[in-house]
Amino acid sequence: MGLTVTNTLTRTKEAFVPRDEGKVSMYVCGPTVYGDIHIGNARAAIVFDVIRRYLAWRGFEVTFVQNYTDVDDKIINRASDEGTDWQELARHYSQAYEQVASALRLDPPDRLVKATDHIPEMIDMISRLVEGGFAYESAGSVWFSVENFPGYGKLSGRTLDEVHSRERVEPDPHKRFALDFALWKAAKQGEPSWDSPWGPGRPGWHIECSAMSAKYLGMGFDIHGGGSDLVFPHHENEIAQAEAALGTEPFVRYWLHNGMVKMDAQKMSKSIGNLVLVKDLLKDVRPEVLRMMAISGAYRSDVDFGEASLEQARRAVERFDNFSRAAGEAAAQVSKDGRRYLERLTAAMDDDFNTPLAISVMFDLVKHGNTLMDSDNDPEGARNVAGLVAAFNQMAGVLGISYDPAADEAAAADNLSAEQAELLERRDEARKTKNWAESDNLRDKLADLGIIVEDTPAGTRWHRKS
RNA sequence: GGCGGCGUGGCCGAGUGGCUAGGCACCGGUCUGCAAAACCGUUUACUCCAGUUCAAUUCUGGACGCCGCCUCCA
């Protein structure tokens, strides 16, 4: 047994053997900070957050690096359109991203690196490429020559001939070959630029990931993640740059790619105009629900995002919440039964991070725990449940879909309005005097205000609607 | 045109050459003042056509359909 992962490079599921025993180095392409992130971006971030958490939980020492692309055509164009400073714009959306990341409970990367802080490293890598005959200068720009790198196409399964048939872009006159891509772009009037051996300019998009990941993780690091839409050309180009510049391979041991988020069976993308921004969605959807949606299918599959799937994720999270609420405190130690569920979760996640199966294990645990709680004539019951809760909390922590009682209470203290509190009190009164009509009426009113009340033998409880 | 992925019960979604996925919804029951939550029970499957096999949803070939990449994109 052991961990297996689907490697895009080989298109097969392989045994995962890290470069350094017991350690995992991973790099995930972060956002270009020119706008608010949408739930497609969020899904990728969540998927790799879960993978990283699982690896750490499983005992690996994980080093996780993520980048910001903070200089880029899109940033410059947008800043120019809005008449703002491009650095100001990048800073603004970097902060916006961090807020969303925190709201989504993404564990912060060990290193969050910015392209603009690594211009010298990029220039160095480009120089090596020029010296090695893998790149050429033309009118102040530098291009990577894909024909001179024999391994080009190994990730995406393309060959150089294929491209000739179907050009979709006007070829740049400075390029020698259609697939050649920019490593360094000559400065244009009014645009940001840095000095270089080829004159003032700025780096191309692909070079930053090669330069920064190689710097912080070294060649042959373990996992490079990103969306499936980055396989070509971005990741293909990263491989070409790094392996050509440093003369060794592999650049990356395992390439992992997540599936797309779709809206009405179409990819969510800016051009189609069907974007849902995370910051908007979080106004009325809890972060756990979004995380649940992101991992309720296998990470490599596309997920369709819509009202129906949102509702299902909401219900699933509620079921976990209900269990957590009812089961109470975890035992200090995972019980024997609890360990069985942890083993099943491990087996599921070891199989290429099979999160849907892992979630089903959690549901099985919940059913088990609920059954124990229902059969209250069992004196061992409470202790057994606590031992299960200990296991449940670990699983929920790995997937990041845990119910957080502290957050719930904090929300309660902060947000329970005077009106809501009063209604709750009046309902208690009504129930004491068996005034059921009044009590039910108040329950409806509270529900309208987002407060769900439940009457239990131990008294009335309430919680917020998810 | 090239490369890649997918088609599972009302919906979402795992998985396997023969042995219950799981969730949501529905129905019946227990509990409850009524609900809610919870528990028990129950129904509905593997796009189509060939082939391999004692046995295929699972392997092979084909058909049809859907999706992604080939331009910035998670």
Side-chain angles (χ1 to χ4, degrees):
Chain A
M1 289 293 284
L3 181 61
T4 58
V5 301
T6 296
N7 189 351
T8 307
L9 198 57
T10 57
R11 298 183 192 287
T12 55
K13 208 186 278 185
E14 304 175 8
F16 179 77
V17 182
R19 177 182 58 189
D20 304 315
E21 196 179 339
K23 297 183 180 177
V24 175
S25 42
M26 62 189 287
Y27 182 94
V28 175
C29 291
T32 298
V33 283
Y34 73 110
D36 288 309
I37 69 163
H38 60 262
I39 56 178
N41 300 309
R43 150 112 137 146
I46 292 165
V47 158
F48 289 102
D49 182 61
V50 168
I51 287 174
R52 175 214 191 167
R53 288 181 190 215
Y54 175 67
L55 292 170
W57 179 78
R58 206 178 178 289
F60 288 106
E61 187 186 316
V62 182
T63 305
F64 184 89
V65 178
Q66 188 176 28
N67 72 303
Y68 282 147
T69 299
D70 63 345
V71 57
D72 177 85
D73 288 351
K74 286 177 298 216
I75 295 170
I76 295 164
N77 292 341
R78 178 145 185 185
S80 153
D81 288 349
E82 296 181 358
T84 53
D85 177 61
W86 67 275
Q87 286 172 299
E88 192 51 48
L89 186 92
R91 201 163 23 241
H92 173 80
Y93 285 112
S94 301
Q95 282 168 5
Y97 175 78
E98 273 158 49
Q99 277 179 8
V100 166
S102 157
L104 291 176
R105 316 241 168 108
L106 300 174
D107 285 346
D110 297 302
R111 283 180 185 279
L112 187 55
V113 294
K114 293 191 287 190
T116 51
D117 288 339
H118 296 80
I119 304 293
E121 286 86 344
M122 295 186 226
I123 289 175
D124 180 60
M125 187 172 263
I126 296 169
S127 299
R128 285 164 182 259
L129 290 170
V130 172
E131 283 161 23
F134 294 103
Y136 54 91
E137 187 265 334
S138 173
S141 293
V142 182
W143 303 88
F144 188 93
S145 172
V146 300
E147 290 168 303
N148 290 353
F149 179 69
Y152 198 78
K154 63 181 170 184
L155 182 70
S156 57
R158 274 157 231 273
T159 64
L160 297 188
D161 324 332
E162 280 169 13
V163 230
H164 290 299
S165 54
R166 205 130 168 133
E167 293 296 332
R168 289 173 59 175
V169 189
E170 287 296 306
D172 188 300
H174 300 294
K175 279 204 260 186
R176 291 182 193 162
F177 183 72
L179 274 186
D180 290 352
F181 56 90
L183 296 167
W184 188 260
K185 298 181 174 186
K188 291 182 197 152
Q189 193 63 36
E191 289 189 352
S193 67
W194 289 261
D195 286 331
S196 83
W198 317 281
R202 59 194 165 88
W205 176 42
H206 311 296
I207 194 72
E208 66 172 85
C209 286
S210 298
M212 292 192 289
S213 60
K215 172 174 180 177
Y216 292 107
L217 300 173
M219 278 300 273
F221 67 89
D222 297 309
I223 293 174
H224 190 130
S228 62
D229 53 356
L230 294 184
V231 172
F232 190 89
H234 185 54
H235 291 162
E236 189 71 65
N237 293 353
E238 278 190 49
I239 292 176
Q241 293 163 336
E243 293 186 358
L246 299 172
T248 58
E249 63 172 344
F251 168 46
V252 170
R253 295 170 70 82
Y254 304 95
W255 286 91
L256 270 49
H257 290 100
N258 63 275
M260 300 291 101
V261 170
K262 300 195 293 184
M263 269 307 245
D264 303 322
Q266 274 190 314
K267 180 186 170 185
M268 180 172 292
S269 72
K270 202 144 201 175
S271 50
I272 299 173
N274 55 356
L275 294 185
V276 176
L277 299 180
V278 174
K279 68 172 187 180
D280 292 336
L281 190 70
L282 285 179
K283 282 173 191 162
D284 39 39
V285 174
R286 285 172 42 198
E288 295 87 352
V289 172
L290 216 170
R291 291 187 66 109
M292 178 67 85
M293 282 199 57
I295 61 172
S296 60
Y299 75 89
R300 277 178 297 109
S301 307
D302 295 344
V303 291
D304 201 289
F305 179 92
E307 269 309 308
S309 46
L310 189 63
E311 186 55 27
Q312 292 217 92
R314 203 194 306 267
R315 296 287 300 142
V317 168
E318 263 174 27
R319 189 166 158 82
F320 289 146
D321 287 356
N322 289 331
F323 173 71
S324 284
R325 254 194 296 274
E329 289 289 304
Q333 294 233 316
V334 174
S335 63
K336 197 174 169 188
D337 280 340
R339 279 202 299 275
R340 279 212 333 267
Y341 290 103
L342 290 180
E343 281 161 18
R344 286 176 57 197
L345 177 108
T346 304
M349 292 297 283
D350 267 5
D351 184 12
D352 198 22
F353 311 108
N354 189 335
T355 50
L357 192 57
I359 291 167
S360 80
V361 173
M362 289 182 67
F363 278 119
D364 285 346
L365 181 151
V366 165
K367 176 170 271 190
H368 185 165
N370 281 330
T371 306
L372 282 177
M373 286 187 277
D374 258 33
S375 57
D376 54 4
N377 50 358
D378 177 7
E380 292 291 302
R383 224 170 69 199
N384 290 338
V385 170
L388 285 176
V389 173
F392 177 86
N393 288 347
Q394 283 194 32
M395 303 201 260
V398 167
L399 299 180
I401 48 178
S402 55
Y403 168 68
D404 185 350
D408 205 39
E409 277 166 28
D414 289 351
N415 299 334
L416 196 60
S417 68
E419 183 192 11
Q420 289 165 336
E422 195 210 322
L423 289 175
L424 277 172
E425 219 166 288
R426 277 170 54 196
R427 184 163 180 280
D428 279 345
E429 288 300 312
R431 293 193 73 241
K432 273 180 197 154
T433 57
K434 297 194 192 295
N435 184 350
W436 307 127
E438 172 71 359
S439 154
D440 291 350
N441 184 23
L442 290 167
R443 179 167 63 203
D444 290 344
K445 277 190 181 158
L446 282 161
D448 289 342
L449 296 170
I451 302 293
I452 307 297
V453 294
E454 293 176 30
D455 302 317
T456 74
T460 298
R461 278 193 325 217
W462 65 270
H463 63 93
R464 271 166 205 292
K465 205 151 66 177
S466 309

